[in-house]
Amino acid sequence: MNWYESVSDWEQELERCGAMGWRVSSVNDRFEMSTSLPRFIVVPHKVLDTELKKSFAHFNEGRIPRWCWRHPRGSDLLRMASFQNNIYHEKDDIRNLEMILFGCQSSLCVVVELADELPSPADIQLAHSRLRALCLGDISTSVSVPDDKWLSTLESTHWLDYTRSCLKKASEVACLLRGGHLTVALQEADDRDMSCVVSSLVQVMCDPHCRTQHGFQSLVQKEWVMAGHRFYSRVNYHRDNDKEEAPVFLLFLDCVWQLLSQYPSRFQLTDDFLLALHDSIHLPLFSSFLANCQRERCKRSQNLGQSYTPVNGWRDMLHPDSTSDPSDPPLPPVWDWDLQYSKHRRDRFTQPVPPVPPLQPLLNGNLNTNPDTHRLTDTIPGSVFLLSRGTFSCPANLLPWRSTSSGPYKKSHRRAASSENVPGLERLLKAWALTEFPQALTSSSGPQGPLDPYEPLLPLLMGPCMGLWRECYLRGALHAQAFSHPISANHPHPVERLAQEVQQLKDKLAQVSTGTDRHPSTKTAEPRRTDANLNQNTNNGTFLFPAARPQSKATPRMTPPPTSTTNHQTSRGPPPASAPPSRPGHRDNGSSSSSSSSSGNKHTFLFGHSSVTEARTYPAPNNAKLPKSNGPSLAS
């Protein structure tokens, strides 16, 4: 897998994606430009490092627009933080900013605002807490929700709504990139939460390499670990900052599972791999999740303190962690699965998929067949649009250095059809799907995926199509443990295996009892249990467990009980073997044995019923005489 820790790693990714107009810059090698960005970033070739340094101050936390991925049809995906418009802009700065924003393209740039439609980290934390209380709560919480209200309670957690909104926004960006020859920049206030989700989902939808195990691990390493997602603060291992806690990465894994459930044949990675990655984030043992950025990760990995003085005079002392011993080995990354799982478990992380055919060459450099971007590709070169709430616009404050009186940019103002709500987007995606792969909507087995392997995997976002990740969230629920495996549904549950063993024991006992019945002379009398009264209810004579059945040489002749139900009188018959011994002076009335053949006998057995054809015998007490009666005796 690609670790993105050196210049060669980023150059390898540029070569894989075919991004020829971009280069790897080491301007942030000592983290003096931005403390949250990685050491190496990808910028256009025509932007020099000396000019690039002036652009960091115009964005929050210095997170300038930088390259993430290139679509096979020629579009580039960028990420950036919000623009600070309270800083004076010089002409050179404006030129450099536009060169970075447009990248290798010269016609169109679409800025996608993520804060308007996607949930905040606080919303994600609240929804996840409600989901855990519903699925993994205690017995009182689980029982308090009736079955007919469970789905509505699940919907009220808004977890599926947030999953749907992330997939919806990623689908819009994927459709934009599919048009070819434009730059799509994902904009977020701090560029460290929802931009990680959307950029990763877009690449999973459009790039088959990201749907393999090594490709997916490289994607998480690039868009989450190296891009500066606050793993340490969002996971909150030490429970010292509850306000920053939010399972943003778990929301991303749920979105990937939604795509996997709808397109299972297009993924090499399996549900077991996603579940293992989901469980690993809760273990504070891996260096991938114990830092908020690469700078903190480098400080934790250095045993000896060192100092350096960057060009601008800023000085930073890197001290070793006081809680760690210098002799201790560094924490391993999460991708070292050998430390957690056996080879048998790791083999279930992947499944065979057909090889991806090579990418066909583009005709005239553009194969734009998306009807929604036709109205954007014929715009004046240098146009910048804002995609917010499903609507394209060109607001005046998008780029502060561009005034509203600028003629070319004002004339290029266009609007696309609104797809603000989910049904509207569904109609848009359905119309696109009918032109590209009509068999996907006519098949009864669900979406089968487009014919072109590089077409985006657009999920179905309506209510019945969005499912709950049962193998993940319901593992600890009491009502689900008896029906699903806590690790995977492909393997029997321990309760199921226990039931199979019990059945095997019952079969063996039946064979042994059948063999001993053929030789009754070899049977020996079993000792009578003195605590058998604990197994009998004195009020109605109910036996909770099968009682011992000692055999006697003098056994009365047993006949089947009559089937008539006319006689409803109840009487005491000969006491069974599990009953307590007869007390002194107590004798059963022999004349009442004639009514023991009635079907209203109160002696019932709740467990251990024998076969209908098997005759059960009950010996008489030691000091008791057999009743002299012509009626049938008690039988099972």
Side-chain angles (χ1 to χ4, degrees):
M1 55 170 288
N2 198 339
W3 295 86
Y4 296 98
E5 295 180 348
S6 62
V7 177
S8 59
D9 293 343
W10 287 97
E11 291 178 350
Q12 179 183 353
E13 179 68 9
L14 290 174
E15 182 181 359
R16 187 188 70 85
C17 297
M20 305 302 297
W22 300 83
R23 67 178 182 89
V24 182
S25 174
S26 59
V27 67
N28 197 38
D29 187 21
R30 297 184 175 182
F31 307 105
E32 66 269 16
M33 296 290 101
S34 175
T35 58
S36 60
L37 284 180
R39 297 175 56 189
F40 308 105
I41 57 177
V42 179
V43 296
H45 262 303
K46 49 189 176 182
V47 181
L48 302 179
D49 288 346
T50 56
E51 301 174 348
L52 189 64
K53 291 180 179 179
K54 303 178 182 179
S55 304
F56 285 91
H58 295 278
F59 295 89
N60 294 336
E61 299 185 12
R63 301 180 69 87
I64 63 174
R66 64 200 182 279
W67 179 88
C68 293
W69 178 71
R70 184 179 180 85
H71 194 275
R73 300 199 175 189
S75 301
D76 293 308
L77 179 64
L78 278 67
R79 289 176 55 179
M80 67 177 183
S82 297
F83 188 84
Q84 295 182 0
N85 55 3
N86 56 352
I87 302 178
Y88 176 73
H89 315 290
E90 298 180 356
K91 289 185 178 180
D92 294 339
D93 296 344
I94 294 174
R95 183 178 62 87
N96 295 332
L97 288 174
E98 292 188 356
M99 291 174 62
I100 298 173
L101 195 60
F102 283 92
C104 303
Q105 314 297 336
S106 60
S107 59
L108 181 63
C109 175
V110 178
V111 178
V112 180
E113 179 62 38
L114 302 180
D116 294 339
E117 300 177 69
L118 298 182
S120 63
D123 297 335
I124 298 175
Q125 172 64 15
L126 180 59
H128 189 260
S129 301
R130 293 175 177 175
L131 182 66
R132 288 181 58 88
L134 177 64
C135 298
L136 306 179
D138 53 6
I139 299 178
S140 60
T141 305
S142 302
V143 174
S144 62
V145 180
D147 293 341
D148 55 347
K149 300 292 184 180
W150 200 90
L151 292 178
S152 59
T153 308
L154 173 64
E155 194 69 21
S156 63
T157 61
H158 299 293
W159 181 261
L160 294 180
D161 292 338
Y162 297 155
T163 306
R164 187 181 296 110
S165 61
C166 293
L167 291 172
K168 170 193 171 185
K169 180 58 66 176
S171 300
E172 292 179 350
V173 176
C175 291
L176 286 176
L177 292 171
R178 178 184 171 275
H181 286 280
L182 77 158
T183 302
V184 179
L186 304 179
Q187 185 179 29
E188 192 184 11
D190 54 358
D191 184 34
R192 304 181 72 174
D193 288 308
M194 303 313 299
S195 60
C196 301
V197 177
V198 176
S199 61
S200 302
L201 288 178
V202 169
Q203 298 179 50
V204 171
M205 291 179 180
C206 300
D207 195 348
H209 174 71
C210 297
R211 297 191 286 269
T212 62
Q213 181 182 356
H214 290 171
F216 188 83
Q217 294 179 170
S218 301
L219 174 66
V220 175
Q221 187 75 17
K222 177 181 65 172
E223 298 296 338
W224 294 82
V225 179
M226 304 303 295
H229 177 67
R230 299 186 184 95
F231 278 109
Y232 185 80
S233 300
R234 296 307 184 197
V235 181
N236 194 14
Y237 289 110
H238 295 285
R239 304 301 177 193
D240 53 355
N241 193 358
D242 296 338
K243 294 183 179 180
E244 296 291 333
E245 182 179 356
V248 181
F249 185 70
L250 303 185
L251 179 65
F252 162 69
L253 293 181
D254 199 322
C255 295
V256 176
W257 180 84
Q258 300 289 343
L259 293 172
L260 175 62
S261 61
Q262 295 188 20
Y263 299 95
S265 62
R266 305 298 295 272
F267 284 81
Q268 186 198 35
L269 54 90
T270 61
D271 188 12
D272 292 318
F273 174 80
L274 295 179
L275 199 59
L277 187 57
H278 176 279
D279 296 341
S280 299
I281 198 174
H282 297 287
L283 301 176
L285 303 175
F286 307 105
S287 60
S288 306
F289 304 142
L290 286 177
N292 291 331
C293 58
Q294 187 182 11
R295 177 174 175 269
E296 295 184 6
R297 198 172 295 107
C298 292
K299 292 175 62 177
R300 291 177 180 271
S301 62
Q302 293 174 351
N303 294 329
L304 299 178
Q306 57 179 335
S307 63
Y308 54 84
T309 303
V311 179
N312 57 0
W314 177 70
R315 189 178 182 89
D316 185 19
M317 288 292 297
L318 299 181
H319 297 283
D321 192 359
S322 59
T323 59
S324 62
D325 187 359
S327 61
D328 293 339
L331 294 177
V334 68
W335 314 121
D336 195 356
W337 299 112
D338 297 344
L339 301 178
Q340 299 187 66
Y341 300 98
S342 62
K343 185 179 183 303
H344 178 69
R345 286 289 306 277
R346 284 183 278 114
D347 291 341
R348 299 203 302 264
F349 286 177
T350 58
Q351 62 180 357
V353 293
V356 179
L359 182 64
Q360 298 296 328
L362 303 181
L363 301 178
N364 298 328
N366 190 1
L367 287 180
N368 184 14
T369 58
N370 192 345
D372 300 311
T373 57
H374 275 314
R375 64 185 69 195
L376 299 177
T377 53
D378 58 349
T379 56
I380 300 176
S383 301
V384 180
F385 291 88
L386 176 66
L387 176 60
S388 178
R389 297 187 180 276
T391 303
F392 291 100
S393 61
C394 186
N397 59 352
L398 178 60
L399 302 181
W401 59 85
R402 295 185 175 184
S403 61
T404 57
S405 60
S406 300
Y409 303 109
K410 188 175 182 180
K411 291 180 181 179
S412 63
H413 174 72
R414 304 286 180 96
R415 282 185 178 271
S418 176
S419 59
E420 182 175 357
N421 53 1
V422 174
L425 180 64
E426 283 295 315
R427 290 192 296 269
L428 183 147
L429 299 181
K430 183 177 180 180
W432 172 81
L434 287 175
T435 58
E436 297 295 332
F437 51 103
Q439 77 282 357
L441 297 178
T442 57
S443 175
S444 59
S445 59
Q448 301 296 327
L451 296 178
D452 189 357
Y454 292 94
E455 292 290 346
L457 302 181
L458 300 181
L460 301 178
L461 304 179
M462 300 306 294
C465 302
M466 300 292 295
L468 179 68
W469 193 0
R470 297 174 55 90
E471 290 79 5
C472 178
Y473 303 127
L474 295 180
R475 285 180 293 171
L478 298 177
H479 63 274
Q481 289 183 356
F483 304 101
S484 62
H485 194 272
I487 298 178
S488 176
N490 300 327
H491 304 280
H493 190 270
V495 176
E496 183 180 355
R497 295 198 302 266
L498 180 61
Q500 294 176 358
E501 294 178 3
V502 171
Q503 184 63 35
Q504 293 176 1
L505 291 176
K506 290 177 64 177
D507 296 341
K508 292 182 180 179
L509 289 176
Q511 295 177 1
V512 172
S513 61
T514 304
T516 54
D517 288 343
R518 296 177 182 177
H519 305 282
S521 59
T522 60
K523 294 182 180 181
T524 59
E526 297 180 359
R528 191 183 306 274
R529 294 182 57 186
T530 58
D531 58 343
N533 56 345
L534 299 178
N535 212 19
Q536 179 183 4
N537 192 321
T538 57
N539 296 329
N540 55 9
T542 301
F543 294 89
L544 298 180
F545 301 96
R549 295 177 294 176
Q551 301 294 332
S552 176
K553 295 183 179 180
T555 57
R557 183 175 179 271
M558 309 300 292
T559 58
T563 58
S564 175
T565 59
T566 57
N567 188 6
H568 297 280
Q569 297 179 353
T570 59
S571 62
R572 293 182 179 271
S578 62
S582 300
R583 290 174 294 181
H586 174 74
R587 296 180 59 184
D588 291 341
N589 189 3
S591 60
S592 63
S593 62
S594 60
S595 62
S596 64
S597 61
S598 172
S599 61
N601 196 335
K602 296 176 66 177
H603 293 278
T604 57
F605 293 87
L606 298 184
F607 299 97
H609 290 284
S610 58
S611 177
V612 179
T613 58
E614 180 184 358
R616 183 174 298 177
T617 61
Y618 299 93
N622 297 332
N623 299 327
K625 296 182 180 180
L626 292 177
K628 298 179 181 180
S629 175
N630 296 329
S633 302
L634 181 64
S636 61

